[in-house]
Amino acid sequence: MNYKKSVTFFFLFALLTFSFILFPATAAPGGRRGMRAYCGSRCRGRCAKAGFQDRCLKYCGICCRECKCVPSGTFGNKHQCPCYRDMRSSKGKPKCP
């Protein structure tokens, strides 16, 4: 009986160890890769109708990485993300599209 418990414990410990190796923390949604994917998809939607998409994507990405949110839609709705709304350029104008 004691042998079965030790084998079970070893198996669970090995499974937990391998899960940390196979799924590192950087691949988690809160990690760097997860945030990059989140910001990329949200900013593509936000900048879909922008006249200068490359510039829109650049600034939206900067704002998203810092604020960790992007307002829904292609324009407006900045009340959904106060940090995004309140970021300003060096000239005092809104930084985020």
Side-chain angles (χ1 to χ4, degrees):
M1 189 95 173
N2 200 9
Y3 174 75
K4 287 183 179 180
K5 286 183 181 179
S6 62
V7 170
T8 304
F9 175 76
F10 176 76
F11 177 73
L12 290 174
F13 180 75
L15 184 65
L16 182 65
T17 303
F18 288 123
S19 69
F20 284 117
I21 293 169
L22 293 175
F23 305 107
T26 56
R32 182 176 288 173
R33 290 182 196 162
M35 185 53 68
R36 186 175 294 159
Y38 169 81
C39 289
S41 66
R42 295 295 302 248
C43 287
R44 278 191 299 276
R46 181 85 178 162
C47 297
K49 295 182 179 180
F52 297 96
Q53 279 199 346
D54 56 340
R55 190 180 312 165
C56 181
L57 289 169
K58 176 184 175 184
Y59 289 110
C60 180
I62 292 169
C63 296
C64 177
R65 284 189 296 277
E66 190 165 324
C67 297
K68 296 178 178 40
C69 64
V70 175
S72 62
T74 57
F75 185 78
N77 299 325
K78 289 188 178 182
H79 64 278
Q80 296 173 349
C81 184
C83 171
Y84 192 95
R85 175 193 65 213
D86 297 338
M87 285 186 76
R88 301 284 176 197
S89 69
S90 59
K91 296 179 182 178
K93 295 184 178 185
K95 183 173 193 166
C96 306

